[in-house]
Amino acid sequence: MIGDLIRRNRVAILGLTLLSVAAGLWAASTMPVAIFPEIAFHRISVIARAGDLPVEQTLTAVTRPLESAVAGILGVETIRSLTTRGGAQLDLVFGWHDDMFRALQLVQGAMEEVRSGLPTGSEMEARMLDTSAFPIVGIAVTSQQRTPAQLSDFVIYEAAPQLRTIPGVYRVELNGAKLR
């Protein structure tokens, strides 16, 4: 019974098969290819550094003014902050329908409004989180023969510049290295 159906409609079946193959080849050739897909995180991270201020001073002189400035930004749903010695990190969560590029500009504008009130020498940056914001490889450098200062010099002046020359490396960040 099914054999008769196939014999009677073999041209239509062949046509549908060829059409399906062509559609599959077209879809495969136009499909974006990436190691990591573009994911839209609706989060902006603000990082502020203010030298070696104690936690209490950092909280009152850096974290609270930044929180107050970004709290009025349209679309901010949640603000989470972390204050450490000389540093503050604010994570701003926006709604799913917000334009994140516009939100980043608003956050940067709010940061500039409070810059003059922050301790002298304070540095701030705002980042829209995406897949490139997360480290892919972490490398720890230790030595029993070199001092921490010598290790910092090695990482800053030798290892990091070499890592930056590797094709496909987007960014090399140093944590823990001390500049002298």
Side-chain angles (χ1 to χ4, degrees):
M1 176 159 204
I2 193 146
D4 292 335
L5 181 66
I6 291 173
R7 270 189 232 101
R8 277 184 281 141
N9 297 308
R10 65 179 171 219
V11 174
I13 292 172
L14 180 63
L16 286 174
T17 302
L18 291 175
L19 187 64
S20 297
V21 168
L25 290 173
W26 176 82
S29 67
T30 60
M31 187 179 303
V33 177
I35 293 173
F36 297 103
E38 283 299 317
I39 299 172
F41 295 105
H42 292 274
R43 204 168 104 193
I44 293 177
S45 184
V46 175
I47 299 171
R49 295 172 197 87
D52 290 327
L53 290 176
V55 174
E56 296 81 17
Q57 276 185 303
T58 305
L59 180 66
T60 57
V62 179
T63 307
R64 287 200 179 128
L66 281 172
E67 285 176 340
S68 297
V70 299
I73 294 174
L74 190 64
V76 173
E77 292 182 354
T78 308
I79 300 174
R80 279 183 246 129
S81 61
L82 172 68
T83 304
T84 59
R85 180 178 178 86
Q89 178 176 342
L90 281 72
D91 287 323
L92 312 173
V93 179
F94 290 82
W96 284 105
H97 299 291
D98 289 325
D99 177 3
M100 292 307 294
F101 291 106
R102 182 173 181 276
L104 179 63
Q105 290 174 340
L106 292 173
V107 169
Q108 289 169 334
M111 289 167 53
E112 290 305 317
E113 287 178 13
V114 297
R115 184 179 293 277
S116 63
L118 297 180
T120 306
S122 295
E123 298 173 7
M124 297 183 296
E125 73 172 306
R127 281 190 191 172
M128 193 168 37
L129 294 186
D130 59 11
T131 53
S132 69
F134 301 105
I136 304 300
V137 175
I139 300 172
V141 180
T142 62
S143 174
Q144 293 182 357
Q145 288 83 25
R146 293 186 182 191
T147 66
Q150 290 172 325
L151 275 178
S152 287
D153 287 347
F154 167 74
V155 170
I156 292 168
Y157 301 115
E158 294 179 42
Q162 287 295 318
L163 290 171
R164 288 183 182 104
T165 64
I166 298 171
V169 171
Y170 173 68
R171 182 174 61 229
V172 175
E173 290 184 2
L174 306 176
N175 291 319
K178 300 289 182 197
L179 296 174
R180 295 185 283 144

